[in-house]
Each structure stands twice: as structure tokens, then as C-alpha cells.
Amino acid sequence: MLDNKTYLSDDEAKRMICEIGRRVYNKNFVAANDGNISIKVGPNEVWATPTGVSKGFMTPEMLVKVDLTGKVLEGSRKPSSELKMHLRVYLENEETTAVVHAHPQAATAYAMAGIPLDRAYSPEGVILLGKVPVSPYAAPGTQEVPDSIAPYCTEYNAVLLANHGALTWGRDMIEAYYRMESLEHYSLTLLHTKKLTDQLEELSAERLAELIQIRENMGIKTGGHLISHEEALKLGANNDSHESSSVQVDPKLIQSIVAQVTEAVLKQLR
């Protein structure tokens, strides 16, 4: 298959990675040496962040160039062990040319709670992100990590990594970064809203269909299936119908736990 993509030059890619690194660091999406960023600059060439370096203090000469198997082509530093995730996205999704991994606090809270972002609450969430699933837990740096995200790479735009953080990708670096930024903004908005009320208004099937059409008109064909207001009601009814045969859980207890977790996260964000 011919590759007709227009890639950034090596210098452009390295400067872009450093710029996005500063942005994720300044926004507190990462701490210390957390996270990693990569850009594909050819059919089998990727520039990526090295291990053990703060994303807020990177310089172009620190970066490392690898092929899609992870073999180092240029650079004196060792690539991050989590680069396996990035390479798997590139192998699974031919349209992707950039990947961002970070630990934004609100999104990571959802990842730690194992809660996917699968409800249609806002136009921005539908258009920019779509459904954001949670991948199964995998030990950092192992082959389990790329295997855990592989099922989500073609249909979705982002994934929450169970107990770990978030991963976004895009057709260019700006799209990949914006998806990370949107993911955290949307997650934080939901946390604030749930602090006010448990009655979040979900978009109807008609409104959801309109937004998906807008999304497709923008050339975005991915995003998965979000749950509309009508589907949420049916889901609630189905849950009610199974209450007699399932383990009974005190709703007040659940509400108390959610409130405590939300309050702890929001304190960290202030």
C-alpha cells in the first residue's frame, strides 16, 4: 500500500514534541517524568520522548528516533518503555501520526474508578472525543499495555488506561494534543457537575445524531457509540428489573463514596 501522507521533517517533529511537552507539563497533565509523546515522520520512523526526562524541560537533542518495532535509529538516549503503546496505535490505525500519553488528574480519576466516558452530555464531548472507553489494567512497560489498548485504536479517539492515565492520538500532533486537553476539560466538568447534582441532563438520540453528523462533516469518522438519553433510560429500567436477582447495594453508600472521591480530586485541582 502506498503511503501518501505528508509528514513533518525531523526538525519540525522534534520542535513540536518539545512544545507539546511544555504544554502538558504546564497544564499539570504530567508530573516529574510522567507521560510520553511521539510523532510519526515516515512510514516506519517515529520521533519520541526518552525515558527519565520531564516533559516540561525537554530539548530536541534529547529525543530518540525509532522504527515501528522500537529499534533505535537516532539519538543517544533510551526510549520510554511505554513507547510500545504508541507504536501499537500506529500499527493498528494507519491514519494516526501522533500520540500523547499523560496523567491528567480528572481523567485519571475516571480511569482509576474504571468509569468510561460513554454518555452524551455535551456537544463538545460528542464532537471532539466521542466515547472514551477504559482499557483493562496492564503493568506499565510490559507487552500487556499495547495489547490492552489495541481493540480501541481504530474506532475511538482516546482511551482511559485503568489505574494509570490516558492516551490520545490523532492525524497530526495538534489533534492528538487537543484530544488530551478536551478529555481533561470534559472530565473535570463532569466532576464539578456531579458535585452539584446527580441529575445530569443527557442529550436525546435526535440531538446526538445531529452532533455525530457534524462530527463526520468535519472529517472525523471515529468516536465510538455514546449512550443517548433514551438509551440511558432503558439501561436504568433494565437495571431496575434485575434488582431482585442481583446483589443489593445501598445507593446512599455509593453516593457517599462518589462524593468523597470527587471532593478529594477537586481539592488536588484547586
Side-chain angles (χ1 to χ4, degrees):
M1 180 182 293
L2 293 175
D3 187 342
N4 296 318
K5 293 186 182 68
T6 300
Y7 297 101
L8 294 180
S9 69
D10 287 345
D11 287 343
E12 289 171 331
K14 289 190 286 185
R15 287 197 299 269
M16 179 65 78
I17 289 174
C18 291
E19 173 62 24
I20 297 304
R22 285 189 288 271
R23 292 185 183 223
V24 297
Y25 183 81
N26 290 336
K27 282 184 168 291
N28 293 321
F29 290 177
V30 292
N33 302 331
D34 292 348
N36 27 79
I37 304 162
S38 69
I39 296 179
K40 196 175 180 185
V41 292
N44 192 38
E45 297 175 316
V46 175
W47 279 102
T49 50
T51 187
V53 173
S54 169
K55 305 306 161 297
F57 298 91
M58 289 187 302
T59 57
E61 60 270 17
M62 293 179 180
L63 306 184
V64 59
K65 191 178 192 180
V66 302
D67 65 17
L68 292 180
T69 70
K71 178 184 177 182
V72 175
L73 303 176
E74 290 185 41
S76 59
R77 294 178 180 254
K78 182 181 178 182
S80 167
S81 62
E82 293 186 328
L83 181 60
K84 296 184 183 76
M85 280 193 299
H86 299 236
L87 300 180
R88 189 58 172 267
V89 176
Y90 295 129
L91 290 170
E92 297 286 341
N93 188 332
E94 293 181 351
E95 289 194 349
T96 296
T97 63
V99 179
V100 177
H101 167 52
H103 301 166
Q105 293 183 61
T108 300
Y110 276 93
M112 292 176 68
I115 301 174
L117 302 175
D118 60 358
R119 301 294 181 91
Y121 291 123
S122 77
E124 295 78 14
V126 174
I127 293 172
L128 299 176
L129 290 171
K131 178 179 178 179
V132 182
V134 180
S135 67
Y137 175 77
T142 68
Q143 184 58 39
E144 293 177 359
V145 177
D147 290 346
S148 72
I149 64 153
Y152 310 104
C153 294
T154 56
E155 185 179 352
Y156 302 96
N157 301 315
V159 64
L160 297 174
L161 307 169
N163 302 89
H164 186 56
L167 189 73
T168 59
W169 50 88
R171 294 164 293 185
D172 57 50
M173 177 50 73
I174 296 300
E175 184 172 63
Y177 168 70
Y178 278 173
R179 284 173 174 170
M180 182 63 72
E181 198 172 77
S182 296
L183 174 60
E184 177 63 1
H185 183 78
Y186 185 49
S187 299
L188 183 56
T189 300
L190 287 179
L191 284 177
H192 281 307
T193 305
K194 288 181 178 181
K195 188 177 181 182
L196 297 174
T197 176
D198 289 331
Q199 304 300 316
L200 279 73
E201 293 296 328
E202 299 182 48
L203 297 170
S204 68
E206 180 182 2
R207 297 303 185 194
L208 178 56
E210 291 174 351
L211 293 169
I212 290 175
Q213 185 60 57
I214 292 173
R215 185 172 73 189
E216 291 182 352
N217 291 343
M218 294 171 63
I220 304 172
K221 306 299 182 183
T222 50
H225 177 73
L226 287 160
I227 299 175
S228 68
H229 176 65
E230 292 85 348
E231 288 175 298
L233 290 176
K234 289 179 182 178
L235 181 62
N238 289 335
N239 288 341
D240 291 343
S241 67
H242 288 87
E243 279 185 358
S244 60
S245 60
S246 61
V247 177
Q248 297 296 308
V249 180
D250 184 356
K252 292 183 178 179
L253 176 60
I254 295 176
Q255 189 175 32
S256 174
I257 293 172
V258 171
Q260 291 178 46
V261 172
T262 301
E263 179 64 25
V265 172
L266 291 176
K267 282 182 178 179
Q268 293 294 321
L269 297 172
R270 288 171 187 153

